[in-house]
Amino acid sequence: MLTVASLSLLLLLFTSSTACTTIGVSYTSAGAAASSPEHIAAVLRSHRISAVRLQAPEPSVIRAFTYSNISLLLEVPNHLVSSFASNVSAANLWLYTHVVPFYPRVKISAISVGSNTVSTSQADLSDVLIPAMQNLKRSLNSLGISDISVSTTFSFIDIMNNAFPPSSAEFQEPINRMLIRPLLQFLEENNSSFFVNLYPYKVYRLNSEIPVGFALFRDHPYNFRDDITTGVRYRNLFDMMVDAVIAAMTVSGHENIPLVVTETGWPSYNSGNEPEASHHYSEMYFQGLITHLKSGLGTPLRKEGVAEAYLYELFDNDDNNDTMQVTASGSGMQNWGIMYPNLTMKYNIPFSSDSKRFHGQGIAGMAALLLVISALL
């Protein structure tokens, strides 16, 4: 006889949901001049978007998210990193402008000190990056703020070596020895996450042997790649790239640090000769990505997957940002926005769909369980 207590426990175990990735968007004020930050924040709430990465965190934009329950990831511009490293008062001043007036009414979860600081197109900040992060963390501690984490953002292409198969992945040298290893130690000591911009589109463009369907989460019998060392079969390029970063962190001795994908996307337009930069492919990528992240399946090397993933970007941006706007071949301007300037969505993206999933065999397994229960009652 099945008791009420045992029935309740069985249902609880079966229907408990896995932790799903937090899905957010990257947002700058560029491309949305006709809309106030308050209006944009309201629209994001209506789409149930729970996290926003502010690449240019102007105080007026931060203020717009007051009491919104949307978490913010703020970014310190690269040109301030050296001053943060040399003088803690510079970090204090930035916090008194961008954090103190709003926190905790605005839910600020993390701060990235610089972005793509080891890119060949950026000034080399490797010597000052960690001192800048340490000073910012000291400033937060002196203000009694302990729940805002500090990290920095890398580009996957700039830091990875031998990324495929994932089991062979390592961080590039000398970046690994000089910067990434001490950074990982800082992140572990301060309960912070590793931030990386990760674009399957760019890797696909650089590797002609990769099928486009593998990069677009298409369910096809031949859309897979095997890691012959681990025996793991990968069904999409995103998971391979994530696991390459996780494997490289493991080689560096820090396998348990959470991973945040600070940018990912697929362009809907390219002014050069790139037919894959299309509205149709962009929609397929975002739909496949969000469905995958909401499934709770994670990746083969990390069952919980990435902690957060930010879609790049909210609006098309005309800035000549080499890490986002220029193609893998170095020519052509691209559109990456998921919204039009009038705040309507470009694509049918399932932000607000139910993200819960059942263990075992999903809905089919639940139906079977109910049949067993009915027979026992």
Side-chain angles (χ1 to χ4, degrees), residues 160-172:
M160 297 305 301
N161 187 39
N162 300 324
F164 305 108
S167 60
S168 69
E170 294 181 340
F171 294 121
Q172 290 184 16

Side-chain angles (χ1 to χ4, degrees), residues 109-324:
S109 62
I111 299 173
S112 174
V113 179
S115 180
N116 301 317
T117 56
V118 299
S119 171
T120 56
S121 61
Q122 304 280 356
D124 185 9
L125 299 172
S126 56
D127 291 339
V128 297
L129 189 58
I130 292 179
M133 295 169 62
Q134 290 171 333
N135 276 345
L136 181 62
K137 187 63 179 176
R138 290 189 189 104
S139 295
L140 286 167
N141 290 340
S142 69
L143 292 169
I145 300 174
S146 60
D147 58 350
I148 297 179
S149 63
V150 174
S151 189
T152 188
T153 302
F154 296 108
S155 167
F156 179 91
I157 292 176
D158 289 337
I159 62 171
M160 297 305 301
N161 187 39
N162 300 324
F164 305 108
S167 60
S168 69
E170 294 181 340
F171 294 121
Q172 290 184 16
E173 296 292 354
I175 297 169
N176 183 35
R177 182 183 69 257
M178 295 173 57
L179 176 59
I180 296 182
R181 282 182 180 269
L183 169 69
L184 292 171
Q185 184 65 38
F186 171 88
L187 298 179
E188 188 164 284
E189 291 172 353
N190 293 280
N191 296 316
S192 298
S193 302
F194 190 84
F195 291 173
V196 63
N197 297 338
L198 190 150
Y199 288 93
Y201 174 79
K202 295 184 178 182
V203 173
Y204 161 75
R205 288 282 302 163
L206 290 170
N207 296 271
S208 58
E209 71 277 8
I210 296 176
V212 68
F214 186 65
L216 292 171
F217 298 90
R218 295 297 91 188
D219 187 12
H220 188 277
Y222 299 104
N223 280 342
F224 66 85
R225 289 291 184 272
D226 291 334
D227 188 327
I228 59 174
T229 301
T230 60
V232 169
R233 173 160 292 184
Y234 287 90
R235 293 290 181 179
N236 63 78
L237 183 55
F238 179 87
D239 279 358
M240 285 192 76
M241 295 172 70
V242 168
D243 276 1
V245 177
I246 292 169
M249 288 197 296
T250 301
V251 170
S252 297
H254 298 275
E255 66 273 12
N256 295 320
I257 293 175
L259 183 62
V260 172
V261 175
T262 37
E263 291 178 12
T264 189
W266 194 282
S268 60
Y269 167 78
N270 170 254
S271 62
N273 185 26
E274 294 186 13
E276 299 87 356
S278 70
H279 186 284
H280 180 57
Y281 280 174
S282 183
E283 183 169 41
M284 283 198 295
Y285 179 77
F286 285 122
Q287 289 176 340
L289 173 70
I290 292 177
T291 299
H292 179 57
L293 295 177
K294 283 180 171 286
S295 73
L297 293 173
T299 70
L301 294 187
R302 183 168 288 183
K303 63 181 180 180
E304 67 271 26
V306 298
E308 302 170 34
Y310 293 83
L311 309 187
Y312 186 83
E313 59 184 332
L314 194 57
F315 303 105
D316 293 331
N317 190 341
D318 293 332
D319 289 349
N320 186 17
N321 187 329
D322 64 304
T323 59
M324 284 55 128

Side-chain angles (χ1 to χ4, degrees), residues 2-20:
L2 194 64
T3 67
V4 173
S6 58
L7 174 60
S8 299
L9 179 59
L10 186 59
L11 286 170
L12 178 62
L13 290 172
F14 197 89
T15 60
S16 60
S17 59
T18 58
C20 295

